Amino acid sequence: MKRKVLLIYTGGTIGMEKDYTTGSLVPFDFSTIFKRIPEMNLLECEVSVHPFENPVDSSDMGPQEWRMIAEWIHKNYNAFDGFLILHGTDTMSYTASALSFMLKNLGKPVILTGSQLPIGDLRTDAKENLLTSLYYASLYENDEAVIKEVAVYFEYKLLRGNRSLKYSAEFFDAYQSPNYPILGQSGVHLNIEKDLLWKPKGEFELDLYLNEKVIFYRIFPGMNFESLLEFKTPEAIVLQVFGSGTIFNNEKTQNILQELRNRGIEIVVISQCVSGGISFGKYSNSNIFTKIGAISGKDMTAEAAITKVMHILNNPKYDKSFSELFSENISGEVTEDF
């Protein structure tokens, strides 16, 4: 029996072609994808295509589009064995991270992929990314899905979605998972590391809650730190600091952070370093965060930390405090004993 995969095209380079009159990239009719990539007809899965009515550039993707994707997966969950989302590369890690929190306890694969070059380009990476992603989205053993989480496939590597980040705008090998091993790799054989895969803890459930009153703030030497107090509406701030958790060691910094906490604003601290993460107390300049009750983001990516905060912040479906929830490993986004 062939497995059924729903392919959701949201937009992005992978669905573009060059207009040789203007030299610009324009979307093509995605219903013609089987003619453009006839190899899709040779796969051992049935593919149904659901394109966005109006394809969205990845820089325009946000909570509204994340909810649309999550709702469509939920609506079609019982009709398909796996899901493939074609997405622009610039914000794909944000979408993957958000979906990992909204689609709770997945029992089926949700794979995201895109490309650096359009499908029609002679040197495109789109075909391999698309075809291998379909393989992973339809991978079953003993009538059970092998992958039960949101993952990103790009340039021969399968990555946990909420551990991925885009690090190159130029190379085909554009994505990394710096703090978690890759889940699988394609070469002559298509491999998967089953021991590294996420295991659901209950029944599949949809939770579309996202709180958009979140600020992301990166510190730098010599900055006017008082500008943080000028934000009037945030309910949480994701603060990206130096190294393993250091910030300016002075009374003004502590007073500003304490004032934010007095306003009821949650503060989550993540590192500017791509690899590694936050360790309060390692250096004295990180002790300030313990004093004011900030929360360590440990080794989470910025994309995962931001979308996790959006999802759990005052979410009525949770009965734990924000700090308790953020410290939990909800869907494999953080190393628990970091």
Side-chain angles (χ1 to χ4, degrees):
M1 180 184 70
K2 284 191 173 183
R3 294 293 169 182
K4 296 180 179 180
V5 176
L6 179 61
L7 188 158
I8 302 172
Y9 171 64
T10 68
T13 300
I14 197 168
M16 299 285 188
E17 63 183 352
K18 182 173 286 188
D19 182 333
Y20 288 97
T21 302
T22 64
S24 299
L25 294 176
V26 294
F28 63 75
D29 180 1
F30 210 81
S31 65
T32 66
I33 187 65
F34 292 95
K35 293 181 179 179
R36 293 172 181 272
I37 307 181
E39 296 92 335
M40 289 176 64
N41 296 298
L42 302 176
L43 292 168
E44 294 183 4
C45 63
E46 296 179 11
V47 182
S48 298
V49 177
H50 174 71
F52 271 23
E53 185 175 345
N54 297 303
V56 179
D57 187 276
S58 65
S59 60
D60 289 321
M61 293 288 286
Q64 178 179 344
E65 289 73 27
W66 300 341
R67 293 187 185 100
M68 287 172 58
I69 296 169
E71 283 184 315
W72 196 254
I73 291 173
H74 181 257
K75 179 180 178 181
N76 293 277
Y77 190 77
N78 293 325
F80 290 90
D81 301 297
F83 301 88
L84 174 59
I85 302 163
L86 300 187
H87 196 289
T89 60
D90 288 342
T91 62
M92 188 157 60
S93 290
Y94 286 95
T95 299
S97 296
L99 290 176
S100 76
F101 302 122
M102 300 164 74
L103 301 170
K104 302 180 187 301
N105 298 313
L106 274 169
K108 300 177 181 182
V110 174
I111 312 296
L112 290 90
T113 195
S115 66
Q116 296 285 66
L117 292 176
I119 282 178
D121 197 283
L122 289 174
R123 297 180 52 252
T124 186
D125 56 331
K127 288 186 178 181
E128 198 285 322
N129 285 348
L130 174 56
L131 292 171
T132 305
S133 292
L134 284 170
Y135 169 83
Y136 281 123
S138 60
L139 185 59
Y140 273 65
E141 290 183 359
N142 300 320
D143 207 34
E144 183 179 1
V146 174
I147 300 165
K148 301 176 182 179
E149 61 178 289
V150 179
V152 166
Y153 179 79
F154 215 87
E155 189 64 9
Y156 308 115
K157 294 184 296 186
L158 184 71
L159 314 173
R160 175 161 294 161
N162 56 33
R163 291 288 194 148
S164 68
L165 57 85
K166 184 179 181 182
Y167 81 98
S168 176
E170 178 180 358
F171 299 118
F172 287 149
D173 186 15
Y175 277 80
Q176 289 183 343
S177 177
N179 291 322
Y180 196 77
I182 62 174
L183 304 179
Q185 193 158 14
S186 67
V188 175
H189 301 286
L190 293 168
N191 299 316
I192 194 158
E193 301 295 333
K194 295 180 183 178
D195 292 342
L196 299 175
L197 295 172
W198 182 252
K199 296 175 179 60
K201 301 175 181 177
E203 296 297 317
F204 174 62
E205 178 185 355
L206 177 68
D207 186 350
L208 296 176
Y209 181 89
L210 292 167
N211 187 327
E212 298 178 37
K213 294 182 179 180
V214 178
I215 295 292
F216 176 75
Y217 202 82
R218 180 183 173 102
I219 67 166
F220 60 90
M223 69 181 295
N224 175 18
F225 198 61
E226 289 179 318
S227 60
L228 264 174
L229 296 174
E230 297 173 9
F231 294 110
K232 301 298 182 182
T233 59
E235 295 180 5
I237 296 173
V238 178
L239 193 64
Q240 195 175 45
V241 303
F242 306 127
S244 58
T246 58
I247 197 171
F248 328 115
N249 185 21
N250 55 56
E251 186 176 352
K252 175 190 272 189
T253 299
Q254 181 167 335
N255 289 340
I256 291 170
L257 290 173
Q258 188 62 62
E259 170 61 23
L260 293 170
R261 293 291 292 125
N262 291 344
R263 295 179 185 179
I265 298 172
E266 301 287 355
I267 298 176
V268 170
V269 182
I270 63 172
S271 176
Q272 295 179 11
C273 298
V274 172
S275 180
I278 298 299
S279 179
F280 291 159
K282 184 175 182 180
Y283 296 98
S284 60
N285 278 30
S286 68
N287 291 332
I288 186 173
F289 294 119
T290 303
K291 291 179 182 178
I292 59 118
I295 304 164
S296 170
K298 299 183 180 179
D299 63 344
M300 293 176 64
T301 64
E303 294 89 338
I306 291 167
T307 53
K308 184 175 183 178
V309 170
M310 294 174 74
H311 180 66
I312 68 173
L313 186 63
N314 298 321
N315 187 333
K317 289 191 176 182
Y318 292 107
D319 57 5
K320 297 181 180 179
S321 69
F322 178 85
S323 60
E324 287 178 306
L325 282 171
F326 196 86
S327 299
E328 288 185 2
N329 188 13
I330 294 176
S331 56
E333 72 280 0
V334 65
T335 303
E336 295 185 35
D337 57 353
F338 184 84

